Amino acid sequence: MNVLIQCQSYFLHQQQQLLKYFPFFFSIFNSHTPLSPSSNSLQYHQQLSIKSLHQHTILFCKQIKLTTLFQRHQLIANLIISITRSKFLWKINQIFLYIQNTTKNMKNTHKLSPNQKTLQIYNYQEMLQYEYMSQQLKDQLMFIIDSSNYQISIKDALEIIKSENFLETHKALIQLRKTLSVLFFQQFNKNFDQAEILTNELIPLLFYLIEFGSTYILKLEATQIISIFAGGKSDISRIIFENGIVRLSQTILKNNHPELSMLMMVILGKLAGDSIQYRDCILQVCNLNRIISNMQLRYEATYVWCLANLCIGRPSPKFEIIRPAFNIFMKVIMYEPTQTNIKMMNDAIWALGYMLDGEPTRIQILIDNGIIIRLIQLMHQCNFVSILRIFECIFQGSQEQISYLLECGFLSQIRNILDPKSREKSGNMLQTFAATETLFKVLSNQYFLISLFHSLMGENQDIRGDALEMIGNAVQHGTNEDVNQMVKNKLIQSILGMLELSQIKEIQSHHLKKGLEILIKVLRKGEIRSKDRQNNQYFTLFIEIEGKGVIQKLLSSKQDDVAKYAYIFKQEFTI
């Protein structure tokens, strides 16, 4: 018989004697049956150190007259089962830390007396025996993990868990997790109405195993199953939430279990993504600083994704609650855009787009930390649409913040995407659509239009060129209302101002030609809008602000192509 069967057989015969001599150990030995949350022995067991547990075992062996080494090994083997309540199974050799100290002390044998040497040799032989038994236990449970590839139904898994069989419970949980991960969960999700009773019964049991399971594998497998369920129908999420997942997550986060904490983040993230109500309840109970303090580098992407889900949605959470996540997202955006980091960076960008809410103070935090420039650099590497969402938020900020965005190269990026040649080369229609949509969204923003038109007379030639291209795109592809909005915000005055400025300051000829081209298109739109030239309000405005004199000056321009465009303008509008 293998070691586990020997232990179980032994303790079946010894239960009455164990209860009589040592009630505490009786509850511990039966730890393959989950202890109740109120059990005093559980609390005491958690406080026991490995060394004191061994000492108690030796004392107990003497009390019930277990004198042979094999009988003591049987006792130790069952204690191993209970110890794994708080230790990962393939680290089970930590139970024998005191033996490792014995091994270390073997190097100092020459310093010991003959009696001490004899005792040390005896301890060393015990250590070898214990290590052998520990390896046997590990091998058996690893065999379960490797061989649990058969599918199992929720009903069958539920019956096995209720049976409280130590090995079969492990096997059933592993099988259920694998089954749900592959294909069974899809079928279960379709037939939820028939399986709801089973789920209502299973989820509380899984919660119990997560908190009080006798091995770390039980806790881990039960948590993974809950994380799979959390990605299903809203009814399943409701069952998980009502059974106290938020309270349980708090318990797990307080313990040093990185894998369990990570899986809890997956569950909370899915629930927060399912419902604003769940999100707000989680934020009320879970302190984000505590969550972030548990974040390990290997699970950083999962934590960032969970934090993102906790920060998105409308209405937005109070900023002071989610501020710690804001700082984490800024940090992540500065990472190198490697294949590993891109997904995490996209989650951070996506969340920031929701968190800004057009608040100038939050926008300024991004500017001060170099995030805006960084996002401009990442436009063709990270999620383009999410970055545009942040830029749209900035256009709701102050005049200075909008001007800063333009100076960082925003117009150049939009221009390149909307340029027909670039579009044909990249073939990314999603980016083109998103850029066009953003363009017409921001055209309704007065502050943006003021900054855009001011750049026509600014010192930066590159920004002027990008602004002209963007205005040209908007006039050509925009509606009559879009053009009317730009005219109201002094588009005609701004273009004439740039043309007049060329009389005293050198401005590139293709900028002047582009300005004349835009002016012609605007006046034509005015004709279409009024249905005749005489009532063209745009042309009337052009005459009132002395536009005719500006065109007359351009007719004598030393730049032939500029003079040619001015002549075309004069001929079309008979000025």
Side-chain angles (χ1 to χ4, degrees):
M1 290 192 295
N2 59 42
V3 176
L4 282 174
I5 294 175
Q6 290 175 5
C7 292
Q8 290 172 349
S9 175
Y10 170 75
F11 284 110
L12 283 174
H13 290 91
Q14 295 292 335
Q15 278 187 359
Q16 292 301 321
Q17 196 172 13
L18 290 169
L19 183 60
K20 177 181 177 181
Y21 285 99
F22 215 122
F24 162 69
F25 274 104
F26 173 69
S27 63
I28 294 296
F29 294 153
N30 284 277
S31 60
H32 58 276
T33 301
L35 296 172
S36 65
S38 60
S39 171
N40 293 329
S41 62
L42 173 63
Q43 183 179 7
Y44 183 59
H45 166 66
Q46 290 173 334
Q47 296 173 351
L48 277 177
S49 67
I50 293 167
K51 184 177 179 181
S52 65
L53 183 61
H54 174 68
Q55 291 171 345
H56 279 86
T57 306
I58 299 299
L59 176 62
F60 181 54
C61 288
K62 292 178 180 178
Q63 287 181 340
I64 59 172
K65 300 179 181 180
L66 296 183
T67 54
T68 68
L69 187 61
F70 177 73
Q71 287 176 320
R72 288 174 62 184
H73 285 175
Q74 288 180 311
L75 189 58
I76 292 290
N78 229 35
L79 284 173
I80 289 171
I81 298 172
S82 63
I83 274 290
T84 54
R85 184 185 310 280
S86 58
K87 298 291 178 185
F88 198 61
L89 198 61
W90 34 82
K91 292 182 180 178
I92 201 170
N93 279 330
Q94 291 178 359
I95 297 170
F96 305 113
L97 284 179
Y98 79 99
I99 300 176
Q100 294 178 6
N101 293 331
T102 303
T103 307
K104 184 177 179 181
N105 292 334
M106 290 290 286
K107 298 177 182 178
N108 301 318
T109 301
H110 61 282
K111 300 178 182 179
L112 302 178
S113 67
N115 289 337
Q116 288 174 324
K117 286 182 181 180
T118 303
L119 180 60
Q120 187 184 66
I121 292 170
Y122 174 75
N123 288 339
Y124 186 73
Q125 289 173 343
E126 275 198 327
M127 177 196 73
L128 295 178
Q129 293 277 356
Y130 292 154
E131 286 183 341
Y132 173 72
M133 296 182 67
S134 171
Q135 186 61 49
Q136 280 188 299
L137 287 170
K138 288 190 289 185
D139 290 344
Q140 289 178 54
L141 284 172
M142 288 304 296
F143 175 76
I144 291 175
I145 294 171
D146 294 335
S147 63
S148 300
N149 292 321
Y150 300 105
Q151 292 184 13
I152 188 172
S153 68
I154 290 181
K155 181 178 180 181
D156 292 341
L158 190 57
E159 290 303 317
I160 293 172
I161 294 170
K162 286 180 179 179
S163 73
E164 301 179 344
N165 183 296
F166 179 78
L167 290 176
E168 290 301 318
T169 298
H170 281 79
K171 188 174 181 180
L173 284 177
I174 296 168
Q175 286 178 335
L176 183 58
R177 186 255 304 165
K178 291 184 177 181
T179 302
L180 294 176
S181 298
V182 181
L183 52 89
F184 180 73
F185 182 62
Q186 299 172 357
Q187 190 65 32
F188 166 78
N189 218 11
K190 292 177 184 176
N191 301 298
F192 176 74
D193 292 339
Q194 293 139 3
E196 184 173 6
I197 297 175
L198 295 176
T199 311
N200 273 317
E201 197 172 355
L202 175 64
I203 287 177
L205 280 177
L206 294 175
F207 273 43
Y208 186 76
L209 289 175
I210 293 170
E211 193 163 6
F212 304 110
S214 58
T215 71
Y216 193 82
I217 289 180
L218 285 178
K219 295 172 181 282
L220 200 62
E221 294 293 338
T223 311
Q224 285 180 297
I225 293 170
I226 293 292
S227 72
I228 297 171
F229 277 134
K233 280 191 170 185
S234 57
D235 288 335
I236 304 175
S237 298
R238 175 183 53 79
I239 295 171
I240 294 172
F241 203 84
E242 290 176 353
N243 274 277
I245 188 64
V246 179
R247 180 201 63 78
L248 180 59
S249 68
Q250 289 293 92
T251 303
I252 297 299
L253 288 172
K254 289 177 183 177
N255 299 323
N256 185 25
H257 296 313
E259 297 90 352
L260 286 181
S261 297
M262 178 272 294
L263 288 170
M264 278 296 164
M265 291 303 100
V266 173
I267 297 168
L268 295 181
K270 287 182 176 181
L271 292 174
D274 274 354
S275 163
I276 297 297
Q277 288 74 27
Y278 293 160
R279 180 204 69 183
D280 292 342
C281 287
I282 293 168
L283 288 173
Q284 284 177 5
V285 177
C286 297
N287 183 285
L288 292 193
N289 280 318
R290 175 181 286 278
I291 290 176
I292 292 168
S293 67
N294 278 272
M295 183 168 63
Q296 292 193 1
L297 185 60
R298 57 181 167 158
Y299 300 130
E300 187 177 21
T302 300
Y303 275 79
V304 169
W305 169 82
C306 175
L307 291 171
N309 273 8
L310 289 170
C311 296
I312 66 169
R314 293 287 184 265
S316 299
K318 291 182 179 180
F319 186 68
E320 57 268 22
I321 296 176
I322 57 176
R323 176 60 193 268
F326 193 85
N327 297 334
I328 290 293
F329 297 147
M330 289 195 297
K331 173 187 169 185
V332 168
I333 288 172
M334 301 305 289
Y335 287 173
E336 280 298 312
T338 61
Q339 189 174 3
T340 306
N341 290 338
I342 285 288
K343 170 67 170 62
M344 178 167 45
M345 295 168 74
N346 282 335
D347 288 336
I349 294 167
W350 175 50
L352 281 179
Y354 279 92
M355 298 171 77
L356 287 179
D357 277 340
E359 288 287 336
T361 52
R362 300 175 201 174
I363 294 169
Q364 196 59 45
I365 294 172
L366 297 187
I367 292 173
D368 294 342
N369 285 275
I371 301 300
I372 304 303
I373 295 175
R374 181 62 172 160
L375 290 173
I376 293 288
Q377 297 168 351
L378 294 172
M379 284 187 77
H380 296 287
Q381 295 170 289
C382 290
N383 190 304
F384 181 78
V385 177
S386 296
I387 294 176
L388 287 183
R389 184 198 294 272
I390 292 179
F391 293 157
E392 288 172 20
C393 290
I394 294 174
F395 289 127
Q396 300 172 32
S398 67
Q399 184 72 55
E400 293 77 15
Q401 290 169 342
I402 294 172
S403 298
Y404 177 80
L405 176 59
L406 300 187
E407 291 168 7
C408 287
F410 169 76
L411 296 179
S412 176
Q413 294 291 337
I414 297 294
R415 172 188 173 182
N416 289 337
I417 292 166
L418 294 178
D419 181 68
K421 294 179 181 178
S422 300
R423 191 160 63 241
E424 290 171 10
K425 186 176 180 181
S426 70
N428 193 329
M429 295 307 296
L430 177 62
Q431 281 197 357
T432 304
F433 174 78
T436 305
E437 187 181 31
T438 297
L439 172 60
F440 289 111
K441 276 183 182 178
V442 299
L443 285 174
S444 62
N445 185 296
Q446 185 180 13
Y447 287 149
F448 169 69
L449 291 177
I450 292 171
S451 297
L452 186 67
F453 298 158
H454 278 177
S455 66
L456 298 180
M457 292 175 284
E459 297 291 332
N460 193 313
Q461 297 272 10
D462 293 334
I463 293 180
R464 180 189 298 119
D466 293 333
L468 286 167
E469 289 294 333
M470 179 174 274
I471 294 168
N473 266 296
V475 170
Q476 182 172 350
H477 302 292
T479 64
N480 288 337
E481 188 54 42
D482 292 329
V483 175
N484 187 49
Q485 182 70 20
M486 289 190 283
V487 171
K488 283 182 179 179
N489 282 280
K490 301 185 177 181
L491 171 60
I492 295 175
Q493 293 92 322
S494 299
I495 292 177
L496 288 174
M498 181 191 71
L499 297 174
E500 194 166 18
L501 186 64
S502 68
Q503 302 298 315
I504 58 174
K505 185 177 180 179
E506 184 178 354
I507 294 179
Q508 295 176 14
S509 61
H510 65 278
H511 289 172
L512 298 174
K513 288 192 297 182
K514 187 68 178 179
L516 285 166
E517 181 185 319
I518 291 170
L519 197 54
I520 291 171
K521 289 179 179 178
V522 169
L523 296 181
R524 284 176 181 169
K525 290 265 187 180
E527 279 185 23
I528 296 171
R529 188 168 180 266
S530 60
K531 298 182 181 178
D532 64 76
R533 180 167 295 185
Q534 290 182 347
N535 296 320
N536 186 345
Q537 295 179 355
Y538 299 163
F539 186 74
T540 301
L541 176 62
F542 170 79
I543 295 299
E544 288 175 356
I545 59 177
E546 310 252 341
K548 184 177 178 180
V550 176
I551 300 300
Q552 290 288 357
K553 292 177 184 177
L554 289 176
L555 289 170
S556 57
S557 173
K558 295 178 181 179
Q559 299 170 315
D560 293 339
D561 47 356
V562 175
K564 180 181 176 182
Y565 261 77
Y567 182 75
I568 293 171
F569 188 99
K570 179 183 177 182
Q571 288 295 105
E572 179 160 351
F573 295 100
T574 60
I575 57 174

